């Protein structure tokens, strides 16, 4: 498979308390599974609003795991609730977000309340509760954003990087993990195409035949996040090196020979996604399996990776889905599709 596996062998969560905001979502559930499978945490706190999803998650876990998990109903808009949930917590992974692009456009301030004010609340609560490490999830849509979802995640990224200055003396350290589309995530193109095929479609719609996207599997998004934990000094935006895919190749992998209908680009959609702009190149470091965008300003103790011998990316470097040198072939896509459950993850 062309999506490489990120090494999590140096990550040690034994004896630690971990809180996952958005812990009932796709990423949160996969992270919980990985932590309970590979580590022996003191406890894992799942923080999210929907009672029913808490209930479903609780029922899906084996008994020996349920004992380690706390199901905390809460909203990231509610700072007091966050502070209460974070008491005694060592590591926070912030995955809660409002992430549907059209819904954010229709309900702009709801998106800002969750993604921006929620981010600030997570920062403040983590500092108050004495959390040691916070990792917030970002997206390629936060780079040169053209929709409110992306803009709100860009604001969130800035809040988490700057939080290290606020927290300097307390020792709480904040970093960001940014990746591209998750193959097969709920509501994404793969379950959508599969549904159309099941209904007997004779052609599949593509908004633009030239469109490219970065792709990662949910499992590797989780592994990548875990693999960043031992190297966080505060203020980094970690970007995994992952392959790109052309949308027509996905159609071919799903249903060989299927006709494609070009339906035109949708509002808020880009032809190609960017993870690192050329303006970041001078402070982006290449660490073999990942890029690290280092903070341009920092008022807390950290050693720039360049001082540790890593090289910055060349002038003009841009990490975008169309300029990637790693591409998923139709055969590779077919192999990956076979691992993705019907209906998405
Ligand atoms: N999926 C992708 O393709 C992708 C790609 C790149 C980055 N990301 C990022 O990865 C993160 C996780 O995404 P995902 O795919 O796991 O999303 P998801 O499946 O939609 O899960 C979102 C989670 O956040 C919770 N949540 C939403 N609003 C909340 C609030 N106000 N307070 C507390 N919890 C709240 C949801 O539960 P309730 O609604 O019950 O509260 C749910 O547990 C997000 O930050 C997203 O931006 C996703």
């Amino acid at each position: 498979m062309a999506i490489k596996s990120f090494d999590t062998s140096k990550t040690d969560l034994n004896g630690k308390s971990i809180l996952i905001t958005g812990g009932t979502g796709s990423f949160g559930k996969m992270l919980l599974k990985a932590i309970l499978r590979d580590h022996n945490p003191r406890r894992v706190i799942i923080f999210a609003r929907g009672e029913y999803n808490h209930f479903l998650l609780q029922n899906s876990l084996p008994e020996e795991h349920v004992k380690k998990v706390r199901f905390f109903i809460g909203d990231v808009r509610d700072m007091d609730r966050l502070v209460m949930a974070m008491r005694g917590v060592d590591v926070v992974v912030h995955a809660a977000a409002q992430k549907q692009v059209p819904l954010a456009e229709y309900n702009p301030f709801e998106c800002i309340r969750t993604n921006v004010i929620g981010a600030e609340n997570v920062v403040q609560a983590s500092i108050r509760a004495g959390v040691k490490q916070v990792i917030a999830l970002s997206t390629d849509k936060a780079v040169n954003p053209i929709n409110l979802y992306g803009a709100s995640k860009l604001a969130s990224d800035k809040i988490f990087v700057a939080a290290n200055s606020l927290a300097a003396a307390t020792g709480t350290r904040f970093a960001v993990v940014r990746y591209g589309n998750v193959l097969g995530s709920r509501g994404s193109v793969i379950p959508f195409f599969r549904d159309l095929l099941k209904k007997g479609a004779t052609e599949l719609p593509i908004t633009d035949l030239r469109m490219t996207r970065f792709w990662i599997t949910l499992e590797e998004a989780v592994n990548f996040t875990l693999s960043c934990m031992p190297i966080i000094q505060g203020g980094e935006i970690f970007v995994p090196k992952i392959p790109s895919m052309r949308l027509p190749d996905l159609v071919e992998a799903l249903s060989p020979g299927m006709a494609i209908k070009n339906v035109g680009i949708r509002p808020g959609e880009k032809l190609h996604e960017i993870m690192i702009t050329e303006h970041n190149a001078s402070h982006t470091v290449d660490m073999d399996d990942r890029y690290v965008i280092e903070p341009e300003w920092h008022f807390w103790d950290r050693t720039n990776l360049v001082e540790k011998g890593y090289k910055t990316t060349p002038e003009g470097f841009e990490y975008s889905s169309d300029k990637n040198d790693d591409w998923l072939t139709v055969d590779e896509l077919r192999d990956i599709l076979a691992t993705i459950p019907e209906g998405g993850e």
Side-chain angles (χ1 to χ4, degrees):
M1 190 182 292
I3 294 184
K4 57 179 106 38
S5 201
F6 294 97
D7 180 12
T8 60
S9 60
K10 295 195 178 70
T11 308
D12 180 7
L13 294 174
N14 293 336
K16 298 212 168 119
S17 285
I18 303 118
L19 180 140
I20 310 171
T21 72
T24 58
S26 307
F27 178 93
K29 286 191 289 185
M30 186 67 94
L31 175 63
L32 175 67
K33 196 169 136 192
I35 292 173
L36 295 173
R37 185 191 58 218
D38 302 334
H39 302 263
N40 185 18
R42 188 146 55 89
R43 64 197 159 113
V44 185
I45 300 157
I46 299 296
F47 187 97
R49 297 166 307 173
E51 182 189 35
Y52 186 56
N53 285 335
H54 275 290
F55 168 79
L56 291 179
L57 179 56
Q58 189 167 20
N59 282 356
S60 72
L61 297 176
E63 200 153 319
E64 72 271 20
H65 284 166
V66 173
K67 282 187 268 176
K68 299 236 164 210
V69 186
R70 303 287 178 273
F71 297 90
F72 213 106
I73 294 178
D75 191 324
V76 293
R77 301 175 186 189
D78 180 348
M79 163 97 92
D80 290 343
R81 193 74 183 142
L82 276 171
V83 174
M84 192 180 286
M86 286 185 192
R87 285 174 308 177
V89 164
D90 302 292
V91 178
V92 169
V93 179
H94 177 48
Q98 188 185 314
K99 62 168 208 190
Q100 295 298 331
V101 170
L103 280 172
E105 298 298 317
Y106 187 75
N107 305 280
F109 210 70
E110 293 307 301
C111 172
I112 290 168
R113 280 197 178 103
T114 296
N115 295 357
V116 182
I117 297 173
E120 177 65 7
N121 286 343
V122 169
V123 164
Q124 298 282 350
S126 304
I127 295 172
R128 282 195 209 171
V131 171
K132 293 179 189 68
Q133 193 174 77
V134 181
I135 302 185
L137 300 191
S138 178
T139 159
D140 47 13
K141 295 185 175 54
V143 183
N144 293 349
I146 58 160
N147 53 56
L148 184 64
Y149 166 58
S152 70
K153 295 294 278 190
L154 171 63
S156 167
D157 294 355
K158 298 272 183 200
I159 287 168
F160 281 104
V161 171
N164 292 281
S165 295
L166 276 182
T170 69
T172 308
R173 289 293 170 261
F174 300 85
V176 172
V177 161
R178 175 184 290 160
Y179 51 83
N181 287 23
V182 173
L183 263 161
S185 67
R186 282 179 304 175
S188 70
V189 67
I190 291 172
F192 173 64
F193 279 170
R194 277 179 169 165
D195 190 47
L196 290 178
L197 289 170
K198 225 187 280 169
K199 288 178 182 151
T202 52
E203 56 183 11
L204 289 178
I206 284 194
T207 57
D208 192 300
L209 294 176
R210 296 164 297 168
M211 185 173 283
T212 63
R213 286 293 179 263
F214 286 110
W215 288 97
I216 190 166
T217 60
L218 196 49
E219 193 178 1
E220 287 314 320
V222 163
N223 283 341
F224 181 69
T225 306
L226 288 165
S227 76
C228 291
M229 290 179 180
I231 50 176
I232 287 174
Q233 298 186 67
E236 302 88 352
I237 299 176
F238 293 99
V239 177
K241 290 190 185 174
I242 50 178
S244 291
M245 179 201 63
R246 295 178 184 89
L247 268 295
D249 288 348
L250 176 64
V251 173
E252 184 60 23
L254 272 168
S255 180
M258 173 60 70
I260 291 173
K261 187 176 175 197
N262 195 343
V263 292
I265 202 152
R266 290 179 303 183
E269 194 173 61
K270 284 181 183 173
L271 207 47
H272 311 292
E273 294 285 3
I274 306 179
M275 292 230 256
I276 302 170
T277 70
E278 59 182 306
H279 306 289
N280 298 133
S282 61
H283 53 279
T284 295
V285 164
D286 187 336
M287 282 185 83
D288 299 335
D289 65 346
R290 70 198 65 202
Y291 295 107
V292 184
I293 306 173
E294 298 210 86
E296 284 181 277
W297 294 278
H298 62 87
F299 307 97
W300 63 96
D301 288 339
R302 75 186 304 281
T303 311
N304 283 345
L305 291 166
V306 173
E307 292 168 55
K308 293 185 172 188
Y310 290 100
K311 294 222 169 352
T312 51
T313 49
E315 197 183 322
F317 169 81
E318 185 181 74
Y319 192 39
S320 63
S321 59
D322 57 326
K323 293 184 191 143
N324 201 346
D325 47 24
D326 186 6
W327 290 88
L328 288 173
T329 65
V330 173
D331 285 343
E332 286 166 340
L333 276 166
R334 203 171 288 129
D335 290 346
I336 297 170
L337 287 169
T339 68
I340 296 172
E342 288 290 324
E345 294 184 297

